[in-house]
Amino acid sequence: MNALNPPGSPDEHTDGHPDEHTDGHPDGHTDGHPDGTTPRTPSQERGRRRRATLLNAAVALLTEGGFKAVTHRAVAQRAHLPLAATTYYFASRDQLLAEAFAQLVETELATTRAWITRHGLPALTDQVATADRARQLGLWELYVHAGRDPVLQHIARRWTDGCVRLIAETLGRPENDPRVRLLYTTVSTLWLEHVVEQRPLDEARALLGLALTQATAGRTP
Amino acid sequence: MNALNPPGSPDEHTDGHPDEHTDGHPDGHTDGHPDGTTPRTPSQERGRRRRATLLNAAVALLTEGGFKAVTHRAVAQRAHLPLAATTYYFASRDQLLAEAFAQLVETELATTRAWITRHGLPALTDQVATADRARQLGLWELYVHAGRDPVLQHIARRWTDGCVRLIAETLGRPENDPRVRLLYTTVSTLWLEHVVEQRPLDEARALLGLALTQATAGRTP
DNA sequence: CGAAAAGTGGTACGGGTGTCCTGATTTTAC
DNA sequence: GTAAAATCAGGACACCCGTACCACTTTTCG
């Protein structure tokens, strides 16, 4: 669950049993140097900061150019760290991407939650309009890429589940309520369409309004 | 409009004015050798077949590995043609990808139309279940990638518009009817979710049913 | 028929990548 | 204090890529 920790949080996995934590970890975060070559989350504060810097660089590059732009050299350069740091702290490019994806998902969910808390669900199209489009594209690119990668797939499901949970809470409904899920389908497509196709948002606003009307059946959210 | 022609269809662009067809062509199809270096659709039948073979190879690779797998060498090898053929018949990798995307979109739209004609809209989840998932992934990957590429973006819009048209025709409604577009949002998300996340389709079927009920307001499709 | 245009295909250029190697330095543990 | 472990960073390995170059062959056209 380390990928869920904010950068800089204490690491619980430095207890000398690294091997137990590298099997089937769904979010791609791997700890431990079983033979001195597999990276771990560092025990020293300095190393932890360097690792986080690399990860943030990866997210930035993901935003700017999609996952193709996340190469070891680009990440190292963006983080002003030597190339070897990338392989010291991350087992592979795939791990780097997975952790970047996980971070992006959590960040976007938190941002969206805050916006809805403040402005309400009907204003979600306004958040989509003002949010960093390139970052959204990075997220969606990895979302689709997750279809070919079981590790990323778990993270993708977390994105969907997080969005559904958000809507459920806002509507005061259980997450498995079909109306919640139906509303999510509309929100998801409108979001993706805006990010990819850059269509005007007038129609999206109207559709969101209609979908909300149907989901709440006359109750004002 | 050559990208809309089936492979092997007669080419109308060999009339000696190739330069007029290379500006702002939204689907990335370029004709003409203005200085002997820019590819055109060949005038000879053999060349046309070779070009089509390369394009089909690109689509196959897109299916198997996503757009990252569509390299000149992989395409040439898959098509059993020399590497130089790829640059002879296509101006760039981008053009190859654009045409592969366009072809994939048209194929999928046609396949979906045939299915709906035969089985009806409520059975759309069954088509999603039985269709080649990897091919769908290829399509969606390029769809999202289109967010960063104006040429592909036009093709992505064609995908969306084609789906909306399909639903509108099935419901006997105009394409700008909000209920048509709302139903499309649900269908789109359920499709993407299945392809990416591989969730069970039971819930998708139920949601599609609910969405159809709301879209038709008691009228049986 | 001959020249020009189109087609063919092997090769190379200049660039890039993920990963690994290894010696030096710093930190930790006994 | 010393040895082991962790950290650090420069460099290299093996591979890959898109694109361009160029000589040769085939087809077209005047």
Side-chain angles (χ1 to χ4, degrees):
Chain A
M1 306 300 285
N2 276 331
L4 300 183
N5 293 349
S9 74
D11 186 9
E12 307 290 332
H13 288 271
T14 54
D15 58 3
H17 294 278
D19 288 346
E20 295 176 5
H21 299 279
T22 57
D23 299 325
H25 211 314
D27 56 5
H29 189 184
T30 309
D31 299 321
H33 278 269
D35 59 356
T37 59
T38 309
R40 75 187 299 166
T41 303
S43 49
Q44 300 170 23
E45 177 61 26
R46 180 164 181 264
R48 281 208 284 273
R49 278 203 297 268
R50 284 159 60 99
R51 193 181 194 279
T53 300
L54 288 172
L55 193 51
N56 290 331
V59 171
L61 288 165
L62 195 52
T63 291
E64 289 163 27
F67 69 79
K68 187 183 59 175
V70 183
T71 67
H72 286 80
R73 286 165 175 85
V75 168
Q77 187 174 53
R78 175 59 61 92
H80 303 296
L81 292 171
L83 173 60
T86 62
T87 49
Y88 183 74
Y89 293 110
F90 299 92
S92 63
R93 181 172 181 263
D94 282 345
Q95 193 199 346
L96 189 54
L97 279 170
E99 295 199 23
F101 186 30
Q103 181 170 315
L104 202 45
V105 162
E106 300 309 325
T107 302
E108 288 305 300
L109 285 176
T111 303
T112 306
R113 176 181 301 273
W115 178 278
I116 291 175
T117 299
R118 182 162 182 188
H119 300 99
L121 204 45
L124 189 56
T125 46
D126 298 321
Q127 195 229 356
V128 171
T130 58
D132 184 341
R133 179 171 163 265
R135 199 172 71 240
Q136 312 280 330
L137 270 173
L139 189 152
W140 282 107
E141 274 173 311
L142 275 171
Y143 176 83
V144 173
H145 191 62
R148 299 187 197 267
D149 181 330
V151 172
L152 295 181
Q153 198 180 51
H154 278 92
I155 304 171
R157 287 187 185 134
R158 270 195 349 230
W159 166 246
T160 299
D161 292 341
C163 291
V164 171
R165 188 176 311 122
L166 216 46
I167 291 171
E169 289 170 3
T170 304
L171 296 188
R173 295 262 174 75
E175 290 168 35
N176 60 4
D177 185 326
R179 283 167 300 181
V180 168
R181 290 192 162 264
L182 203 56
L183 181 57
Y184 163 73
T185 64
T186 296
V187 167
S188 182
T189 294
L190 294 180
W191 194 323
L192 180 59
E193 245 184 44
H194 170 70
V195 171
V196 171
E197 298 179 40
Q198 294 181 292
R199 294 185 190 252
L201 274 167
D202 294 354
E203 184 180 12
R205 281 196 194 93
L207 286 180
L208 180 58
L210 179 57
L212 271 167
T213 300
Q214 295 186 343
T216 55
R219 187 175 71 98
T220 309
Chain B
M1 306 300 284
N2 274 333
L4 300 183
N5 293 348
S9 73
D11 188 6
E12 307 291 336
H13 287 270
T14 54
D15 58 0
H17 295 277
D19 291 344
E20 295 174 10
H21 300 277
T22 57
D23 300 326
H25 212 308
D27 58 2
H29 190 180
T30 309
D31 297 323
H33 279 268
D35 57 1
T37 59
T38 308
R40 74 186 301 168
T41 303
S43 47
Q44 300 169 25
E45 178 61 27
R46 181 164 182 263
R48 282 206 284 270
R49 276 202 298 268
R50 284 161 59 101
R51 192 180 195 279
T53 301
L54 288 170
L55 193 50
N56 290 331
V59 171
L61 288 165
L62 195 51
T63 291
E64 289 164 27
F67 72 79
K68 186 182 61 177
V70 184
T71 67
H72 287 80
R73 287 165 174 82
V75 168
Q77 187 176 53
R78 176 59 61 90
H80 303 295
L81 292 171
L83 173 59
T86 61
T87 51
Y88 184 74
Y89 292 112
F90 298 93
S92 63
R93 181 175 181 263
D94 282 345
Q95 191 199 344
L96 187 55
L97 280 169
E99 294 199 22
F101 186 30
Q103 181 171 315
L104 204 44
V105 162
E106 300 308 325
T107 303
E108 288 306 299
L109 284 175
T111 303
T112 307
R113 178 181 298 274
W115 178 277
I116 291 177
T117 299
R118 182 161 184 190
H119 300 101
L121 205 42
L124 189 55
T125 46
D126 298 322
Q127 195 230 355
V128 171
T130 59
D132 183 343
R133 180 171 159 267
R135 199 173 71 239
Q136 312 280 329
L137 271 173
L139 189 151
W140 281 107
E141 276 173 309
L142 276 170
Y143 176 84
V144 173
H145 192 62
R148 298 186 199 267
D149 181 328
V151 171
L152 295 181
Q153 197 179 52
H154 279 90
I155 304 171
R157 288 191 184 130
R158 270 195 349 231
W159 167 246
T160 299
D161 292 341
C163 291
V164 171
R165 187 177 311 121
L166 216 48
I167 290 171
E169 288 170 6
T170 304
L171 297 187
R173 294 261 174 78
E175 292 169 33
N176 61 3
D177 185 329
R179 284 166 299 181
V180 167
R181 290 191 162 264
L182 203 56
L183 180 57
Y184 162 72
T185 63
T186 296
V187 168
S188 182
T189 294
L190 294 180
W191 194 324
L192 180 58
E193 248 184 42
H194 170 70
V195 168
V196 170
E197 298 178 42
Q198 293 181 290
R199 295 185 188 249
L201 274 166
D202 293 353
E203 185 180 13
R205 279 194 196 96
L207 286 178
L208 180 57
L210 179 57
L212 271 167
T213 300
Q214 295 187 343
T216 54
R219 186 175 72 101
T220 310

